[in-house]
Amino acid sequence: MPELFLPINITYDTRGLTPVRDVISALKSADELIRDASSLIPSLVPNSDVQLRGVSVKRLSQESPLREILVATLWVSSQDDIEVGVTTAIKAVAGYDVPDSYQTLLSLAVVLVLFYGVELANNLITKAVKEGPARRQLNAIIADMAQKTGQSTDAVKRILESKYSKPGLVKTLVRHSLAFFIPSKREGSARIQVGDVRIEPEIVNDVPFTGQVDEDQDFTLFKTYDGLSLSLHAQDMDKSKTGWAAVPDGITDRRLKLKLITPVEPSQLWGKSKVIGDVVIISKMTSRGYEPAEIHLSSIIAAE
């Protein structure tokens, strides 16, 4: 099983000296994010076997800009124990082209879990359905990861949701994701570079401060569905006083609270048994993982 030493380069475009406590917070969070990212690689690259041996600091500069070079030590093998060049080995076990090296893949996986944690934090604080800078960055990273590994974007999202399906794991990820940004946030959202990924000030500004998150609150997950069929039951057809409810076909058999988002009007649903439209399904974290709880209907394609 070959042993790989992969540097992860992180640069905060800060001015002057960064306080020691901020450097420590950033290093601790980077360590945890690298560990989580490495554990995702076997799912992202099927039939590969990756084991993290450790994370160490190769170089640290506290002056402007703050630079951290961490080294992840990995054991890598395939089902056939192919001990050849990294790219060749990945292509042989996966059957499709992947990043030029595990370094690229690992760096991208780090920002993937980082912004998934930010997404969960923003969901908790703002309950935002609309896409902001941090969510756009996450979606771009998911698309990049999908393209580089041959997975679909939905498959990458499912891998993340499966990895972080329990309250304890979600809370830990959120904590470390927000702590990663502390050196930047203290200097007015300074630009950050992680490997080849640049995190611009506009995106950093969209990341919550660590003190904004109450981990005792319910964590939520927002998923968009275009053209989803909703079944309305007889008792749901005239709910002007108590609100609407519907069953999202193919998602769950349970009736969920249905919220109508402008420009959708109640008159478009009255007397209908089924509607097809664009929706956001909000799932809440439970001891069993995320469970669908509410539907937001933003447009109607058809109704019957």
Side-chain angles (χ1 to χ4, degrees):
M1 184 178 288
E3 188 174 69
L4 302 178
F5 300 91
L6 305 180
I8 307 295
N9 295 280
I10 303 171
T11 301
Y12 297 84
D13 194 14
T14 54
R15 303 176 298 276
L17 294 175
T18 303
V20 172
R21 66 180 182 276
D22 293 351
V23 176
I24 292 173
S25 293
L27 282 173
K28 285 183 176 179
S29 64
D31 176 88
E32 293 296 332
L33 292 168
I34 291 170
R35 292 178 186 277
D36 277 13
S38 66
S39 72
L40 286 180
I41 292 177
S43 297
L44 293 166
V45 183
N47 301 325
S48 65
D49 182 14
V50 176
Q51 299 176 31
L52 180 69
R53 291 198 60 198
V55 180
S56 57
V57 177
K58 180 180 180 180
R59 186 177 303 166
L60 177 65
S61 173
Q62 191 183 358
E63 298 178 356
S64 175
L66 170 62
R67 286 194 175 96
E68 302 170 358
I69 301 179
L70 291 83
V71 176
T73 304
L74 302 177
W75 276 344
V76 181
S77 72
S78 70
Q79 289 182 339
D80 299 321
D81 197 25
I82 301 172
E83 297 192 11
V84 293
V86 175
T87 304
T88 305
I90 301 174
K91 186 172 182 179
V93 300
Y96 43 71
D97 290 328
V98 293
D100 291 337
S101 70
Y102 264 120
Q103 180 180 351
T104 302
L105 183 63
L106 183 58
S107 294
L108 189 60
V110 168
V111 290
L112 177 66
V113 297
L114 170 66
F115 275 94
Y116 189 66
V118 171
E119 169 75 359
L120 295 173
N122 274 331
N123 288 346
L124 179 68
I125 295 169
T126 66
K127 311 295 183 185
V129 175
K130 293 185 178 180
E131 188 177 82
R135 184 174 294 174
R136 285 194 291 272
Q137 180 84 346
L138 173 63
N139 289 337
I141 294 167
I142 289 173
D144 194 12
M145 181 64 78
Q147 189 274 328
K148 284 180 167 59
T149 61
Q151 303 269 13
S152 67
T153 55
D154 285 342
V156 175
K157 291 176 183 178
R158 285 194 297 270
I159 289 169
L160 287 169
E161 291 168 13
S162 176
K163 167 72 175 177
Y164 302 103
S165 61
K166 300 298 181 182
L169 293 174
V170 170
K171 292 177 181 180
T172 299
L173 174 63
V174 167
R175 187 183 312 119
H176 290 303
S177 294
L178 300 189
F180 179 89
F181 289 92
I182 287 177
S184 172
K185 298 287 282 185
R186 290 199 193 280
E187 290 213 6
S189 300
R191 181 183 292 106
I192 305 172
Q193 182 102 14
V194 181
D196 294 330
V197 178
R198 291 181 59 159
I199 306 172
E200 299 293 344
E202 175 195 23
I203 298 168
V204 178
N205 193 53
D206 195 36
V207 175
F209 285 95
T210 53
Q212 290 180 262
V213 176
D214 179 2
E215 293 185 0
D216 291 329
Q217 289 180 262
D218 292 331
F219 281 87
T220 52
L221 187 66
F222 295 78
K223 294 190 70 173
T224 301
Y225 296 87
D226 297 329
L228 186 68
S229 175
L230 304 177
S231 295
L232 303 175
H233 294 269
Q235 58 267 41
D236 304 323
M237 293 183 183
D238 189 359
K239 290 288 187 175
S240 59
K241 294 183 179 179
T242 60
W244 295 84
V247 175
D249 296 340
I251 306 299
T252 179
D253 294 331
R254 295 187 297 109
R255 291 169 57 202
L256 306 179
K257 178 181 178 182
L258 176 63
K259 183 176 181 180
L260 308 185
I261 308 298
T262 305
V264 176
E265 296 290 342
S267 59
Q268 295 175 268
L269 273 64
W270 288 334
K272 306 297 184 182
S273 62
K274 186 180 290 289
V275 297
I276 298 174
D278 298 332
V279 308
V280 172
I281 294 184
I282 302 173
S283 298
K284 293 186 177 180
M285 174 64 75
T286 71
S287 59
R288 298 177 296 278
Y290 283 105
E291 294 190 348
E294 186 172 327
I295 304 168
H296 288 188
L297 177 62
S298 58
S299 70
I300 295 178
I301 299 171
E304 59 186 42

